[in-house]
Amino acid sequence: MTESVLRLDHFNFFIGENQILNDINLKFQRKKVTAIMGPSGCGKTSMIRCINRMNEWVKNARVEGEILFYGKNLFQMDPILLRRKIGMVFQRPNPFPTMSIFENVIAGYLLNGIKLSKTDKERIVEDSLRKAALWDEVKDGIHRKGTFLSGGQQQRLCIARALAMNPRLLLLDEPTSALDPKATSHIEELIIELKKTVTIVLVTHNIAQASRVSDFTAFLYLGELVEYGETTKMFTVPEDKRTEEYLTGKFG
Amino acid sequence: MSLKTIKNTQQKERLFQSLLSASGVIILVLVIGVFITLLIQSMPAIIAHKFDFFSHTTWDPVSGQYGGLSFLVGTLLTAFLALLISIPFSLSIAIVLGEYLTEGWIALILKTAIDLLAGIPSVIYGFWGLFVLAPWIRNLEIKLGVLPYGVGILTASLILALMIIPYAASLGREVIRLVPAELKEASLSLGATRYETVRKIILPYAKSGISAGFLLSLGRALSETMAVTMVIGNSNLLPTSIFSLGNTMASVLANEFSEANGSIYISSLLEIGLLLFVVTTIISLIGRRIIKKMSVHQ
């Protein structure tokens, strides 16, 4: 029996008068990859931004219902502490241009003012870069600026930066949408490798990607959860007609 | 497209390019022209007192002594002191308006007020300094037990600081706004607070632009004439403390040019003008180098 790390319970999200997410009930299984799939504007990015409470800066944003993180309503937790436990990787690689590769990896500690010994720093940097499959490519130039790397390497650096904080949950917001096919397959292999240690939520508009890397898939359409289930099952025998149409490319 | 229209477009392109180059050349010619004029006009003074100008502090046209050092010191002292005083204010304003209060009516009022500050004529600042600020400084000087002039280097620096805040604040606000949102989000997603994000991500990213604002402020402080002339005390002696009376290169020019008689006197004043020109150029060049070194995109 796999336990759930995260559960959305009758969750609604509004920006002003617009309802972005409508009564979402969804469970995320531990150490699995759950893909959130759907056409542009269906609310998938909004959903994961609610999970680490990044939507709180959006003007007139409002939530109803609960998101439970290890059984606790995360809207009652301290957002700063919550974000340290939930890592996020964005659509476009965004390493900090003022920092070296080394500093980028431990940026979470630097930003939070957490003091680390030199050996701890080196250990965390090497571990995280190894987990992100980037260590061998950058170990000789670790004190160079992160912005000298290629797009795919930069995105893996961002993954390493998120992993360095030892998150229990990793949110990937279309992490390959700005990358070429080769870099994309690199990241996809990495995602499959990473689920051994961390629970992953992957937002994607790429149907093939969802089928390649995810264990479970949630299909969102117009702010509603149309269908949720095991990826292999959903891709072979979708229950809802809209899912079938989306998967066969009729819209989206 | 017909051959004729292509030819026409090419002609327009060439015309546009030559217009642009012409404006560039005109600016260059003007700057060089100013420099040469100053150089030629101050030649008699340069020949007459050689390097005494830089080593002597006595400026006494009546007895024919033209030492410019106290004015150089006065200018540098007031300008850098003003910059130092203004930095905390302009930086805070830039952060508030660039990051925290980016929209809404309070932001609009603040922004307009800052821009208005830059538009107030300097003679008004001078009057305010003379009638409001100088008495305050005088009280302070009495409490501290120094000669209570009221006017002097400190008063001039304070007025200058107030005058130059808008330049650094406006530019700082713009560059802070230009920090990519994705970097701020990355920082916040790692559990950083807003303050940590400002201090460790936004300011390092924007520092070259912010410094450019300080440089702009400094340039303004170095060459400001009217307000400084009114509150600096117009003493030709070398200032010994921030409460001393003094004179800047610009203020001595403003004070004495209309009354100068004798070709050496006028030529010596123009030599001060030349020196001011050179000093501002040097400081601006050094500043540019520093800004370039700080830049994130190299």
Side-chain angles (χ1 to χ4, degrees), chain A residues 110-122:
Chain A
L110 296 175
L111 285 166
N112 291 311
I114 300 168
K115 294 264 185 299
L116 292 172
S117 70
K118 197 165 170 279
T119 49
D120 276 348
K121 276 186 200 166
E122 281 166 358

Side-chain angles (χ1 to χ4, degrees), chain B residues 148-223:
Chain B
Y149 296 115
V151 292
I153 299 281
L154 180 65
T155 316
S157 301
L158 285 170
I159 287 289
L160 274 177
L162 189 60
M163 294 175 74
I164 64 180
I165 284 172
Y167 298 90
S170 295
L171 200 61
R173 174 178 62 96
E174 288 305 318
V175 294
I176 286 174
R177 284 187 76 140
L178 287 176
V179 176
E182 52 199 51
L183 295 183
K184 297 178 202 169
E185 288 184 337
S187 167
L188 295 169
S189 80
L190 287 165
T193 60
R194 201 92 185 264
Y195 167 71
E196 285 162 345
T197 305
V198 167
R199 207 169 72 103
K200 293 175 184 163
I201 301 299
I202 295 178
L203 291 184
Y205 187 88
K207 70 180 171 192
S208 79
I210 292 171
S211 314
F214 292 149
L215 186 65
L216 199 66
S217 287
L218 183 63
R220 181 91 175 85
L222 282 168
S223 52

Side-chain angles (χ1 to χ4, degrees), chain A residues 49 54 57 59 80 83-84 86 88 90 92 94-99 108 110-113 161 165, chain B residues 103 182-194 196-197 200-201 204-205 295-298:
Chain A
R49 281 169 165 263
M54 291 286 286
W57 286 280
K59 226 178 156 190
I80 305 294
R83 288 188 204 115
R84 290 186 198 171
I86 300 179
M88 185 163 189
F90 297 81
R92 290 206 310 164
N94 55 1
F96 298 123
T98 49
M99 297 183 182
L110 296 175
L111 285 166
N112 291 311
R161 180 175 68 187
M165 297 299 284
Chain B
E103 46 190 50
E182 52 199 51
L183 295 183
K184 297 178 202 169
E185 288 184 337
S187 167
L188 295 169
S189 80
L190 287 165
T193 60
R194 201 92 185 264
E196 285 162 345
T197 305
K200 293 175 184 163
I201 301 299
Y205 187 88
S295 173
V296 180
H297 318 276
Q298 279 167 352

Side-chain angles (χ1 to χ4, degrees), chain B residues 275-287:
Chain B
L275 185 62
L276 183 57
F277 185 100
V278 172
V279 165
T280 45
T281 308
I282 290 173
I283 287 178
S284 149
L285 287 177
I286 295 172

Side-chain angles (χ1 to χ4, degrees), chain A residues 60-105:
Chain A
N60 298 322
R62 184 164 56 88
V63 298
E64 273 174 19
E66 287 185 339
I67 300 181
L68 299 162
F69 182 54
Y70 283 94
K72 271 189 260 170
N73 185 355
L74 58 78
F75 293 105
Q76 283 161 10
M77 298 167 74
D78 181 71
I80 305 294
L81 294 177
L82 176 76
R83 288 188 204 115
R84 290 186 198 171
K85 290 180 192 149
I86 300 179
M88 185 163 189
V89 175
F90 297 81
Q91 289 185 16
R92 290 206 310 164
N94 55 1
F96 298 123
T98 49
M99 297 183 182
S100 67
I101 294 171
F102 189 92
E103 290 167 324
N104 259 291
V105 177

